[in-house]
Amino acid sequence: MRIALVGAGNLATNLGDALVAANHEVLQVYSRTWESAETLASRLHCMAVTSVEELVLDADLYIVALKDSVLEEILPRLVQGREQALWVHTAGSVSMSIWENRGVKHYGVFYPLQTFSKSRNVDFSKIPIFLEANLPSDLYRLKGLAASITDKICEADSKQRASLHLAAVFACNFTNAMYVISEQLLKEQGLSFDALLPLVNETAAKVHALSPLEAQTGPAVRYDLGVINKHLAMLESHALYRDVYEQLSRCIHYEQTNIKKDDKL
Amino acid sequence: MRIALVGAGNLATNLGDALVAANHEVLQVYSRTWESAETLASRLHCMAVTSVEELVLDADLYIVALKDSVLEEILPRLVQGREQALWVHTAGSVSMSIWENRGVKHYGVFYPLQTFSKSRNVDFSKIPIFLEANLPSDLYRLKGLAASITDKICEADSKQRASLHLAAVFACNFTNAMYVISEQLLKEQGLSFDALLPLVNETAAKVHALSPLEAQTGPAVRYDLGVINKHLAMLESHALYRDVYEQLSRCIHYEQTNIKKDDKL
């Protein structure tokens, strides 16, 4: 398949690498800014374009990996004159219905569930890709494409994908926010975040064997007010972190007392 | 060293296993409840005791791994008649000064920085153990003990250890709370938490190579209000999770705009 990549962000960069490694023909990279387009295009040995008009008309597949707000705005101009191709977007939170009434017949979603940074290459073969398509024949084509870069091909409708994306924000983005807070707190005592890496590893490894609910430890689950109050006092000069600590301790306490009870009903 | 283990919780269980595996002589396990004491004692092939009076008088080392609130209360009776031994506690949040004015001369702290559950055995050799002692000779003895079960021996004073423990609550306990929320949200859509495991792994692996601040991704760091508002709408029936989402998005936005700025000064 001859592919045009619309977007040059974290996801487009990692996906582009995986597609080229799997010997797909990536024709062009589009980005509004020349620097982003050029950086990724030269990495993939293809052409950089910064206006929709320069985008090839005869690609087989257009992969649109743009910020949700930009996607909505640019879509009409993107598909114009390219209605015969297969169009997919890569956003967890955008419904497949965004392609409806655009004059396009072949469309779907190609959602790799992972956290991507330009500065870090990930092993795509372990990333689940959630697919959705308007036509069974297009789902089949997308499965073929996905199979060339990963072993984990899944189907999800738009509602399920939205839930996956929301859950991923908690499991990844908010988890990383916890790491940032840890790092800041340690920095103040002249300690390195590295001291926590074995703990970070085990916390992630643990939920492969135990359910997250069973894996929970710490002062909040024991409702150890002595420790909780000591910690809140230590956070006195960090109003934001103090609020996070209080709220998440409440959340853990709620989960441990309520979810388990419900599950046993 | 002839060791008495005071406590039979998650940490005592994993530490007891490691000590026995390293051929230390664990004489007794104390717990207030017979079931806990007996479960761990039989696992370690030693004696279970449920009253302080039954605790041996002539151990070389007493390792006290009790809930902070219980520790404070039971300490005077524990040390009585056993003042010549070396005493350590394992709590991150308890100062070494808790041993002062107890008639005890040899004391310190033996703090393995990890999350422990009884149902999961961890590889102790990768766990950093933070040590503190009143006397240099006792620090030396504790280092010897620690070296028999881990490669990662560190020193930390009580203030640093309190920070490590607080940071660990964020990096581990609150991270796991995020996993629990993810699991609950997916369950409602008939999806399994397993779909997120590659993401959980990569989120943890990423901060070995990038700083947490650099590793941050997601709608909050892009300040993508379209996605954020969609997610908040999806959480309408989960007031608690909605509040967590809002607060952590604010937190991420704050960190990305302020910490980076400060660091560049």
Side-chain angles (χ1 to χ4, degrees), chain B residues 111-143:
Chain B
Y111 174 52
L113 180 52
Q114 189 51 281
T115 168
F116 299 105
S117 293
K118 287 184 190 177
S119 55
R120 180 171 164 83
N121 263 92
V122 291
D123 176 3
F124 236 93
S125 68
K126 290 174 187 165
I127 299 176
I129 299 182
F130 288 87
L131 302 174
E132 188 179 9
N134 185 41
L135 300 172
S137 57
D138 293 329
L139 184 63
Y140 182 80
R141 287 164 76 191
L142 291 178
K143 280 187 178 175

Side-chain angles (χ1 to χ4, degrees), chain B:
Chain B
M1 276 205 274
R2 302 171 72 245
I3 300 171
L5 204 49
V6 183
N10 295 337
L11 191 156
T13 300
N14 277 273
L15 180 57
D17 282 343
L19 290 170
V20 167
N23 292 317
H24 293 288
E25 194 181 347
V26 179
L27 307 169
Q28 285 182 333
V29 171
Y30 163 89
S31 171
R32 281 176 303 176
T33 57
W34 173 251
E35 199 192 333
S36 301
E38 177 54 26
T39 301
L40 181 53
S42 70
R43 185 163 165 157
L44 305 179
H45 307 289
C46 69
M47 192 193 294
V49 298
T50 55
S51 77
V52 171
E53 290 66 37
E54 293 171 273
L55 202 59
V56 284
L57 292 168
D58 62 344
D60 300 313
L61 170 67
Y62 293 85
I63 300 178
V64 186
L66 296 170
K67 220 170 119 163
D68 296 12
S69 49
V70 180
L71 173 63
E72 193 107 24
E73 182 204 318
I74 205 179
L75 213 67
R77 289 192 296 131
L78 270 181
V79 296
Q80 205 176 12
R82 304 174 186 91
E83 289 89 351
Q84 301 312 310
L86 174 55
W87 286 85
V88 294
H89 69 72
T90 59
S93 52
V94 176
S95 168
M96 186 170 72
S97 66
I98 199 174
W99 297 109
E100 286 171 11
N101 307 317
R102 309 276 186 187
V104 177
K105 209 173 102 191
H106 304 282
Y107 56 83
V109 183
F110 192 91
Y111 174 52
L113 180 52
Q114 189 51 281
T115 168
F116 299 105
S117 293
K118 287 184 190 177
S119 55
R120 180 171 164 83
N121 263 92
V122 291
D123 176 3
F124 236 93
S125 68
K126 290 174 187 165
I127 299 176
I129 299 182
F130 288 87
L131 302 174
E132 188 179 9
N134 185 41
L135 300 172
S137 57
D138 293 329
L139 184 63
Y140 182 80
R141 287 164 76 191
L142 291 178
K143 280 187 178 175
L145 179 70
S148 69
I149 55 175
T150 184
D151 306 325
K152 297 194 179 171
I153 303 166
C154 318
E155 288 179 49
D157 63 28
S158 291
K159 204 177 166 195
Q160 289 176 318
R161 193 175 54 255
S163 284
L164 285 164
H165 186 236
L166 176 60
V169 168
F170 281 94
C172 167
N173 306 151
F174 291 165
T175 284
N176 191 77
M178 299 299 109
Y179 300 159
V180 174
I181 295 176
S182 302
E183 187 183 36
Q184 290 305 113
L185 294 172
L186 291 177
K187 211 193 271 175
E188 289 176 7
Q189 289 297 318
L191 295 162
S192 160
F193 180 73
D194 288 357
L196 293 184
L197 288 175
L199 179 67
V200 162
N201 289 349
E202 170 63 10
T203 306
K206 212 171 172 180
V207 292
H208 288 247
L210 304 176
S211 82
L213 206 62
E214 292 169 316
Q216 189 71 57
T217 57
V221 71
R222 298 191 306 266
Y223 208 63
D224 191 334
L225 277 177
V227 178
I228 292 173
N229 288 330
K230 245 185 236 183
H231 285 167
L232 291 175
M234 286 171 74
L235 293 170
E236 209 144 65
S237 59
H238 289 284
L240 192 60
Y241 296 168
R242 194 182 193 283
D243 290 349
V244 169
Y245 188 103
E246 269 198 308
Q247 193 175 44
L248 293 182
S249 293
R250 258 202 313 277
C251 189
I252 289 171
H253 188 65
Y254 170 86
E255 285 162 340
Q256 292 291 325
T257 47
N258 289 282
I259 303 177
K260 275 188 178 164
K261 223 182 280 165
D262 288 346
D263 284 356
K264 274 175 195 163
L265 287 177

Side-chain angles (χ1 to χ4, degrees), chain A residues 250-262:
Chain A
R250 256 201 314 276
C251 190
I252 289 171
H253 189 63
Y254 170 84
E255 285 162 340
Q256 292 291 326
T257 47
N258 289 282
I259 303 178
K260 275 188 179 165
K261 221 183 279 165
D262 289 346

Side-chain angles (χ1 to χ4, degrees), chain A residues 12-80:
Chain A
T13 300
N14 277 271
L15 180 56
D17 282 343
L19 290 171
V20 167
N23 292 316
H24 293 288
E25 193 181 348
V26 179
L27 306 170
Q28 286 182 332
V29 170
Y30 163 88
S31 171
R32 280 175 305 175
T33 57
W34 174 252
E35 199 193 332
S36 300
E38 176 53 26
T39 302
L40 182 53
S42 71
R43 186 164 164 157
L44 305 180
H45 307 290
C46 69
M47 192 193 292
V49 298
T50 56
S51 78
V52 171
E53 290 65 37
E54 294 172 274
L55 201 60
V56 285
L57 292 169
D58 61 344
D60 299 312
L61 170 68
Y62 293 85
I63 300 178
V64 186
L66 296 169
K67 220 170 120 162
D68 297 11
S69 50
V70 180
L71 173 62
E72 193 108 24
E73 183 204 317
I74 205 179
L75 213 66
R77 289 193 296 131
L78 270 181
V79 296
Q80 206 175 13

